[in-house]
Amino acid sequence: RFGCIAKIGFTLVNSLEEVTADAIEAAPLLFDHFLPDEWGGCNQLFELKNGLIGAVGHKSWGEMVVRQHGGEAEHVLHYTSMAFAVDPETRAMTPTKIIATRDCFPPGPSKAPRLQDVTFTAGIIRHDDGSATLYTGLSDCQVGKLEIADPLLEYEAIEP
């Protein structure tokens, strides 16, 4: 319907009581952050010093892969951790940027072979020294923690 598998909606509410199924369904969509064969979502939001909203989430795509010669094709998923910012007044959005991929973490088991390349973002803790701790699910059966540069700092330098 919208040119890709999933979109991110954005709306403002005055209280948690206003976060209803109807409000979520009616949230206007943000565009241009996913290619037609991608999907994703926001997992954590931050009100930045300049009034922008910083978002941390996941960006995903799938592909058909034949793992063995003559075997059947399997739908393999790829999930990465991403960040972007949006102006709540104008809805202008920065491009998404990848902040971590599965290979940023040590190898480990996966729930299924098709899920080996999954990094499902839980959120970040921002630190005063310009770094952040990223927490994420890994391959649908582990959790990971990674020290990264604060992915939202550059957005706080933007004039809204």
Side-chain angles (χ1 to χ4, degrees), residues 133-146:
T133 305
L134 169 70
Y135 293 90
T136 182
L138 300 172
S139 306
D140 270 16
C141 74
Q142 297 178 289
V143 294
K145 175 177 128 175
L146 184 66

PDB file of all heavy atoms in Angstrom, residues 133-146:
ATOM      1  N   THR A 133      25.786   3.288  25.356  1.00  0.00           N
ATOM      2  CA  THR A 133      25.735   1.835  25.451  1.00  0.00           C
ATOM      3  C   THR A 133      24.490   1.375  24.719  1.00  0.00           C
ATOM      4  O   THR A 133      23.382   1.804  25.043  1.00  0.00           O
ATOM      5  CB  THR A 133      25.702   1.373  26.922  1.00  0.00           C
ATOM      6  OG1 THR A 133      26.814   1.935  27.613  1.00  0.00           O
ATOM      7  CG2 THR A 133      25.753  -0.148  27.015  1.00  0.00           C
ATOM      8  N   LEU A 134      24.691   0.546  23.705  1.00  0.00           N
ATOM      9  CA  LEU A 134      23.604  -0.006  22.907  1.00  0.00           C
ATOM     10  C   LEU A 134      23.250  -1.384  23.447  1.00  0.00           C
ATOM     11  O   LEU A 134      24.138  -2.211  23.659  1.00  0.00           O
ATOM     12  CB  LEU A 134      24.038  -0.121  21.440  1.00  0.00           C
ATOM     13  CG  LEU A 134      23.136  -0.914  20.499  1.00  0.00           C
ATOM     14  CD1 LEU A 134      21.827  -0.172  20.251  1.00  0.00           C
ATOM     15  CD2 LEU A 134      23.861  -1.192  19.190  1.00  0.00           C
ATOM     16  N   TYR A 135      21.964  -1.623  23.662  1.00  0.00           N
ATOM     17  CA  TYR A 135      21.462  -2.937  24.064  1.00  0.00           C
ATOM     18  C   TYR A 135      20.614  -3.476  22.921  1.00  0.00           C
ATOM     19  O   TYR A 135      19.810  -2.740  22.337  1.00  0.00           O
ATOM     20  CB  TYR A 135      20.628  -2.832  25.341  1.00  0.00           C
ATOM     21  CG  TYR A 135      21.459  -2.444  26.535  1.00  0.00           C
ATOM     22  CD1 TYR A 135      21.643  -1.107  26.877  1.00  0.00           C
ATOM     23  CD2 TYR A 135      22.103  -3.414  27.301  1.00  0.00           C
ATOM     24  CE1 TYR A 135      22.427  -0.747  27.964  1.00  0.00           C
ATOM     25  CE2 TYR A 135      22.891  -3.065  28.387  1.00  0.00           C
ATOM     26  CZ  TYR A 135      23.044  -1.735  28.704  1.00  0.00           C
ATOM     27  OH  TYR A 135      23.828  -1.380  29.776  1.00  0.00           O
ATOM     28  N   THR A 136      20.804  -4.748  22.599  1.00  0.00           N
ATOM     29  CA  THR A 136      20.110  -5.308  21.450  1.00  0.00           C
ATOM     30  C   THR A 136      19.924  -6.815  21.601  1.00  0.00           C
ATOM     31  O   THR A 136      20.711  -7.483  22.284  1.00  0.00           O
ATOM     32  CB  THR A 136      20.895  -4.989  20.162  1.00  0.00           C
ATOM     33  OG1 THR A 136      20.199  -5.496  19.037  1.00  0.00           O
ATOM     34  CG2 THR A 136      22.284  -5.550  20.179  1.00  0.00           C
ATOM     35  N   GLY A 137      18.881  -7.311  20.966  1.00  0.00           N
ATOM     36  CA  GLY A 137      18.725  -8.752  20.830  1.00  0.00           C
ATOM     37  C   GLY A 137      19.607  -9.219  19.688  1.00  0.00           C
ATOM     38  O   GLY A 137      19.819  -8.493  18.717  1.00  0.00           O
ATOM     39  N   LEU A 138      20.143 -10.419  19.799  1.00  0.00           N
ATOM     40  CA  LEU A 138      21.035 -10.962  18.781  1.00  0.00           C
ATOM     41  C   LEU A 138      20.507 -12.314  18.303  1.00  0.00           C
ATOM     42  O   LEU A 138      20.305 -13.228  19.118  1.00  0.00           O
ATOM     43  CB  LEU A 138      22.444 -11.142  19.338  1.00  0.00           C
ATOM     44  CG  LEU A 138      23.139  -9.876  19.838  1.00  0.00           C
ATOM     45  CD1 LEU A 138      24.448 -10.222  20.537  1.00  0.00           C
ATOM     46  CD2 LEU A 138      23.372  -8.915  18.697  1.00  0.00           C
ATOM     47  N   SER A 139      20.256 -12.411  17.015  1.00  0.00           N
ATOM     48  CA  SER A 139      19.898 -13.676  16.368  1.00  0.00           C
ATOM     49  C   SER A 139      18.679 -14.347  17.014  1.00  0.00           C
ATOM     50  O   SER A 139      18.548 -15.561  17.000  1.00  0.00           O
ATOM     51  CB  SER A 139      21.097 -14.624  16.358  1.00  0.00           C
ATOM     52  OG  SER A 139      22.214 -13.990  15.771  1.00  0.00           O
ATOM     53  N   ASP A 140      17.825 -13.552  17.620  1.00  0.00           N
ATOM     54  CA  ASP A 140      16.582 -14.015  18.254  1.00  0.00           C
ATOM     55  C   ASP A 140      16.785 -14.997  19.406  1.00  0.00           C
ATOM     56  O   ASP A 140      15.858 -15.710  19.770  1.00  0.00           O
ATOM     57  CB  ASP A 140      15.630 -14.615  17.220  1.00  0.00           C
ATOM     58  CG  ASP A 140      14.702 -13.573  16.619  1.00  0.00           C
ATOM     59  OD1 ASP A 140      14.980 -12.371  16.773  1.00  0.00           O
ATOM     60  OD2 ASP A 140      13.699 -13.954  16.008  1.00  0.00           O
ATOM     61  N   CYS A 141      18.004 -15.029  20.000  1.00  0.00           N
ATOM     62  CA  CYS A 141      18.173 -15.918  21.158  1.00  0.00           C
ATOM     63  C   CYS A 141      19.224 -15.435  22.151  1.00  0.00           C
ATOM     64  O   CYS A 141      19.514 -16.121  23.117  1.00  0.00           O
ATOM     65  CB  CYS A 141      18.491 -17.342  20.699  1.00  0.00           C
ATOM     66  SG  CYS A 141      20.148 -17.584  20.078  1.00  0.00           S
ATOM     67  N   GLN A 142      19.796 -14.259  21.935  1.00  0.00           N
ATOM     68  CA  GLN A 142      20.797 -13.717  22.844  1.00  0.00           C
ATOM     69  C   GLN A 142      20.526 -12.225  23.037  1.00  0.00           C
ATOM     70  O   GLN A 142      19.737 -11.633  22.306  1.00  0.00           O
ATOM     71  CB  GLN A 142      22.204 -13.833  22.252  1.00  0.00           C
ATOM     72  CG  GLN A 142      22.699 -15.219  22.013  1.00  0.00           C
ATOM     73  CD  GLN A 142      24.080 -15.138  21.379  1.00  0.00           C
ATOM     74  OE1 GLN A 142      24.222 -14.754  20.229  1.00  0.00           O
ATOM     75  NE2 GLN A 142      25.098 -15.497  22.150  1.00  0.00           N
ATOM     76  N   VAL A 143      21.224 -11.645  23.995  1.00  0.00           N
ATOM     77  CA  VAL A 143      21.237 -10.196  24.141  1.00  0.00           C
ATOM     78  C   VAL A 143      22.671  -9.722  24.017  1.00  0.00           C
ATOM     79  O   VAL A 143      23.612 -10.465  24.310  1.00  0.00           O
ATOM     80  CB  VAL A 143      20.627  -9.727  25.486  1.00  0.00           C
ATOM     81  CG1 VAL A 143      19.156 -10.056  25.547  1.00  0.00           C
ATOM     82  CG2 VAL A 143      21.351 -10.325  26.660  1.00  0.00           C
ATOM     83  N   GLY A 144      22.824  -8.499  23.557  1.00  0.00           N
ATOM     84  CA  GLY A 144      24.155  -7.942  23.409  1.00  0.00           C
ATOM     85  C   GLY A 144      24.219  -6.535  23.952  1.00  0.00           C
ATOM     86  O   GLY A 144      23.209  -5.835  24.044  1.00  0.00           O
ATOM     87  N   LYS A 145      25.414  -6.130  24.294  1.00  0.00           N
ATOM     88  CA  LYS A 145      25.689  -4.783  24.801  1.00  0.00           C
ATOM     89  C   LYS A 145      26.943  -4.323  24.087  1.00  0.00           C
ATOM     90  O   LYS A 145      27.918  -5.071  23.984  1.00  0.00           O
ATOM     91  CB  LYS A 145      25.896  -4.861  26.315  1.00  0.00           C
ATOM     92  CG  LYS A 145      26.302  -3.571  26.970  1.00  0.00           C
ATOM     93  CD  LYS A 145      26.387  -3.788  28.473  1.00  0.00           C
ATOM     94  CE  LYS A 145      27.717  -3.311  28.968  1.00  0.00           C
ATOM     95  NZ  LYS A 145      27.844  -3.380  30.428  1.00  0.00           N
ATOM     96  N   LEU A 146      26.910  -3.074  23.580  1.00  0.00           N
ATOM     97  CA  LEU A 146      28.027  -2.558  22.799  1.00  0.00           C
ATOM     98  C   LEU A 146      28.238  -1.094  23.128  1.00  0.00           C
ATOM     99  O   LEU A 146      27.276  -0.315  23.168  1.00  0.00           O
ATOM    100  CB  LEU A 146      27.697  -2.722  21.308  1.00  0.00           C
ATOM    101  CG  LEU A 146      28.745  -2.339  20.279  1.00  0.00           C
ATOM    102  CD1 LEU A 146      29.948  -3.269  20.373  1.00  0.00           C
ATOM    103  CD2 LEU A 146      28.131  -2.399  18.884  1.00  0.00           C
TER     104      LEU A 146
END
